[in-house]
Amino acid sequence: PGFILIKADDVTLSNKAEIFATTISGDGGNIELENLKTLQLTGGSLISASTTNGISGNVNINATESINLDRDSGVIAEVTPTGIGKAGNINITTSQFNLDNGAIISVSNRGTGNAGELQVNASNMKLDNGAKIFAETQVETLSEDDGGDINLQSLQTLELDNGSSISTSTVDGEGGDFTINASESVIVNGGSRLAAEATGNGEAGDLNISTPIFTIDNASLVSVSSRGNGEAGDLKVTGG
């Protein structure tokens, strides 16, 4: 399959600009943003890899200084509704990673099959004002089809504020595991949440947090849950 490769110092997408790779069936192409200093998405702009009945490509972003998503912008790897396929992975490496004002990062399968995995390696990470990161799948029966994992690695700090969230979820499959490693602190504030959850007959994944300072404040939530007939995962918090 073909792929999209962008090499530049500073990349900006604004006012609903898009970079996308899509396929109906077969293997989709990857999107590679390499050797950047900064990446800025704003005003509903989007980077996406999607498929209906195939395997969507991966999205790989490497920016040495910062990645900023704002005002309903997003990075997405997905299988579209009614499709039967596998969503691609998202891999992000940067120093400062900010999501604000409804920005999203998602790996999702809204049809039948596997969701991709999300891997973030960053020094400092902040979600604010309703920003969301999620991995979800909606398979119709329990099977080997798994929800995607979320791995937030090599962090110093993670902060969620003002109704922001990071979650893994499934309806009738196996939800992905959610792992956070932060060497300094994890702060969940202002009605924000960290969650691994399932509905229907699904089984939720585990939520693992490793950090020396863990703060939950102002009606925020950290949970593993099953709201149907399946099992909830485990919640484990350890000092860094």
Side-chain angles (χ1 to χ4, degrees), residues 25-185:
S25 61
D27 293 346
N30 294 335
I31 299 175
E32 308 273 352
L33 283 79
E34 294 184 354
N35 302 324
L36 309 184
K37 289 183 179 178
T38 66
L39 173 65
Q40 174 85 24
L41 276 69
T42 188
S45 296
L46 188 66
I47 297 174
S48 68
S50 65
T51 188
T52 300
N53 293 316
I55 300 173
S56 81
N58 300 321
V59 179
N60 300 312
I61 303 172
N62 190 322
T64 57
E65 295 181 5
S66 65
I67 297 173
N68 296 289
L69 278 65
D70 192 14
R71 293 171 48 210
D72 301 315
S73 295
V75 178
I76 296 171
E78 67 175 358
V79 175
T80 58
T82 74
I84 302 173
K86 183 183 186 302
N89 303 321
I90 296 177
N91 300 293
I92 293 173
T93 301
T94 191
S95 179
Q96 184 70 42
F97 188 25
N98 300 313
L99 288 80
D100 202 354
N101 296 311
I104 66 167
I105 302 284
S106 74
V107 285
S108 63
N109 190 322
R110 299 184 180 183
T112 300
N114 294 53
E117 296 187 359
L118 171 62
Q119 176 87 26
V120 176
N121 291 283
S123 297
N124 300 291
M125 186 171 174
K126 183 173 183 179
L127 286 71
D128 204 354
N129 297 310
K132 296 181 180 180
I133 294 176
F134 58 92
E136 65 177 359
T137 188
Q138 298 187 27
V139 295
E140 296 179 355
T141 59
L142 283 171
S143 68
E144 294 180 355
D145 295 326
D146 294 337
D149 296 335
I150 294 178
N151 293 298
L152 309 181
Q153 303 288 345
S154 305
L155 303 181
Q156 293 175 5
T157 65
L158 171 64
E159 181 178 357
L160 288 76
D161 206 353
N162 296 310
S164 298
S165 64
I166 306 176
S167 64
T168 60
S169 66
T170 187
V171 176
D172 289 321
E174 294 183 7
D177 294 329
F178 178 9
T179 302
I180 300 170
N181 287 305
S183 62
E184 295 182 8
S185 64

